[in-house]
Amino acid sequence: MALEQMRPVSRRYDEDEHALPTEWVDYYWQTGRKGAPGSLGGATDGFVQVCIQAEELCFGDAGLYLRMPTAALGGSAVSAAGTPEQKERFLRPFRESPHPIWGAMAITEASAGSDSAAIQTSARYDAERDEWVLNGTKIFCTAGEGASQIEGGFVVVWATVDKTLGRGGIKSFVVPAKTPGMKLVGLEKKLGIRASDTATLVFEDCRVASANLLGGRAKAEKKAEPARAGDKGFKGAMATFDASRPIVAAMAVGVGRAALDFLVEELARQGVEIRYDSPPRSQTALERDVIDMQAELQAARLLTWRAASMMNRGRPNSLEASMAKAKAGLVVTKITQKAVELLGPPGYSKKLLVEKWMRDAKINDIYEGTQQINQLIVARRILEYSSSQLR
């Protein structure tokens, strides 16, 4: 699938940003979606396999992977924080819809990037209509166009029910596509992953049923106790990252592998063989560079599988998920840059896809928690410091 369906259209949809890759979307929906994120089994069902699939597909093209019609991060949020009834209601269409649909998650705001607790988008409970009313603006929403505009999809929106409560007031809400009050106002022009739709969404008096609060149906009387509205609240929402960070790490490994495999093949074509069994002192600088890149990539892959395996067994994996994400994001950035460098002028040319992979790689070091944020989480976990003690 990666080589036969994705690579042939990689350059076209990198250059024609925001165009829907119809042939890829239709192929995936008809043939390739079995086992994709959105399974009713959620993140606990074959999660290592989900990560392997992410690596293989991003070996093909990371931008097209993000444009696949799946529940994506919205599905991860529902799986992590939703009730059994919500998982059934929101994820089943991804198996049964007659046409491609998308899921998305909207967290980032202009004044709240990595600091999720600073979210300003508000949710007000209307007891008379038993609905939540959302107001605010979300930016850099991956798959936001398809999820907000195509019937059957949904966007999981993080909002605060009481700004004075800080992170205690943050809840997540499922907003079905085409809900009045949810508006698509723009698509980002990006450095990489240009085949994906990265949207800006505005919510103006956008009403959703109280049953769309992830974690549990809000009771009218809970208006006075907004911090307790929803069974899992902020912790449940943050658990989304424990599922999504290993997937992003796997995506990074896939992009890195694409660049590294191409580099080794090109060197072999030029008559340069890597002497793995030679002492380091007798190897060339190029050989040592390639071996180091391969070792780093394998280390990132093993950390990713470890985090996924722990989640698969129902074990807490916040530390391991952040370790995998931090390692893989850094490794893929270095590997793709080095591949461009070692290939010389062709590596920097659009005649090859290596320069594209270098541009696609950087986002893996930024979204789902930046390199710095994930290192901070790792340090807190290892040193047993709270967020107030280590900032």
Side-chain angles (χ1 to χ4, degrees):
M1 187 187 303
L3 294 177
E4 296 178 1
Q5 302 295 330
M6 303 176 90
R7 289 283 180 88
V9 296
S10 279
R11 181 62 74 187
R12 186 200 315 172
Y13 290 106
D14 176 59
E15 294 181 345
D16 194 4
E17 190 172 14
H18 301 155
L20 180 67
T22 307
E23 62 272 63
W24 163 242
V25 168
D26 290 343
Y27 171 83
Y28 184 81
W29 189 254
Q30 298 298 329
T31 306
R33 59 176 167 153
K34 185 177 293 184
S39 162
L40 293 179
T44 59
D45 183 13
F47 197 49
V48 175
Q49 183 178 355
V50 170
C51 288
I52 293 173
Q53 290 171 342
E55 177 185 335
E56 294 297 324
L57 290 168
C58 287
F59 172 79
D61 189 288
L64 292 172
Y65 170 80
L66 292 169
R67 201 62 184 267
M68 293 190 317
T70 72
L73 293 181
S76 297
V78 173
S79 294
T83 65
E85 183 277 330
Q86 289 173 329
K87 294 176 186 177
E88 171 74 12
R89 181 158 52 102
F90 295 123
L91 299 183
R92 180 169 292 281
F94 287 86
R95 286 184 170 177
E96 299 181 348
S97 171
H99 59 80
I101 57 175
W102 285 264
M105 186 161 65
I107 302 177
T108 305
E109 299 179 359
S111 58
S114 298
D115 185 5
S116 302
I119 283 173
Q120 296 297 305
T121 295
S122 64
R124 175 180 58 82
Y125 184 66
D126 183 342
E128 291 186 2
R129 297 174 58 172
D130 194 23
E131 293 176 338
W132 288 95
V133 184
L134 306 181
N135 282 283
T137 300
K138 296 292 185 180
I139 62 175
F140 283 92
C141 179
T142 302
E145 181 184 27
S148 66
Q149 301 299 307
I150 306 299
E151 197 79 42
F154 64 81
V155 180
V156 173
V157 180
W158 288 30
T160 177
V161 297
D162 187 340
K163 295 178 182 177
T164 64
L165 295 173
R167 64 178 55 191
I170 303 297
K171 312 297 172 191
S172 46
F173 303 83
V174 178
V175 182
K178 292 188 172 297
T179 297
M182 177 169 64
K183 301 176 182 176
L184 173 69
V185 298
L187 294 171
E188 292 290 340
K189 294 183 178 179
K190 308 185 295 295
L191 172 72
I193 55 168
R194 291 161 54 88
S196 71
D197 51 327
T198 306
T200 297
L201 300 175
V202 170
F203 299 86
E204 293 179 346
D205 292 330
C206 178
R207 289 178 171 271
V208 295
S210 65
N212 286 19
L213 168 62
L214 283 183
R217 183 183 175 87
K219 305 294 185 183
E221 59 268 25
K222 286 185 176 178
K223 181 181 179 182
E225 298 179 275
R228 297 178 184 174
D231 295 333
K232 298 183 179 179
F234 187 73
K235 288 185 178 179
M238 291 301 291
T240 304
F241 290 128
D242 298 340
S244 61
R245 283 174 178 157
I247 295 175
V248 173
M251 293 171 57
V253 172
V255 177
R257 196 182 112 212
L260 190 47
D261 282 6
F262 182 86
L263 172 64
V264 173
E265 290 171 5
E266 183 61 19
L267 290 175
R269 193 183 68 80
Q270 297 176 18
V272 179
E273 293 188 8
I274 308 301
R275 296 172 297 162
Y276 293 97
D277 55 353
S278 296
R281 65 179 180 279
S282 65
Q283 292 171 335
T284 65
L286 187 151
E287 287 175 316
R288 289 196 294 273
D289 280 343
V290 171
I291 291 172
D292 284 347
M293 293 158 72
Q294 291 173 328
E296 289 289 297
L297 190 69
Q298 183 66 358
R301 179 183 289 117
L302 293 175
L303 283 171
T304 301
W305 289 356
R306 182 188 182 200
S309 176
M310 292 178 68
M311 184 153 210
N312 211 38
R313 287 175 285 162
R315 293 174 54 186
N317 73 335
S318 294
L319 169 62
E320 290 76 15
S322 286
M323 289 174 69
K325 168 67 172 60
K327 178 69 175 180
L330 191 60
V331 163
V332 70
T333 302
K334 290 182 176 178
I335 285 177
T336 52
Q337 289 180 351
K338 197 69 177 178
V340 167
E341 174 187 324
L342 294 178
L343 286 167
Y348 198 68
S349 167
K350 285 192 173 184
K351 294 178 181 176
L352 303 178
L353 286 171
V354 180
E355 62 82 25
K356 175 186 179 302
W357 294 329
M358 184 182 74
R359 290 187 283 108
D360 289 346
K362 185 56 186 174
I363 192 62
N364 295 283
D365 204 31
I366 298 174
Y367 63 6
E368 296 303 293
T370 63
Q371 176 72 215
Q372 294 82 357
I373 286 292
N374 279 290
Q375 288 184 353
L376 194 58
I377 292 171
V378 171
R380 286 172 183 163
R381 294 281 179 174
I382 292 176
L383 301 173
E384 298 183 346
Y385 285 173
S386 67
S387 57
S388 61
Q389 291 173 307
L390 188 59
R391 305 170 68 85

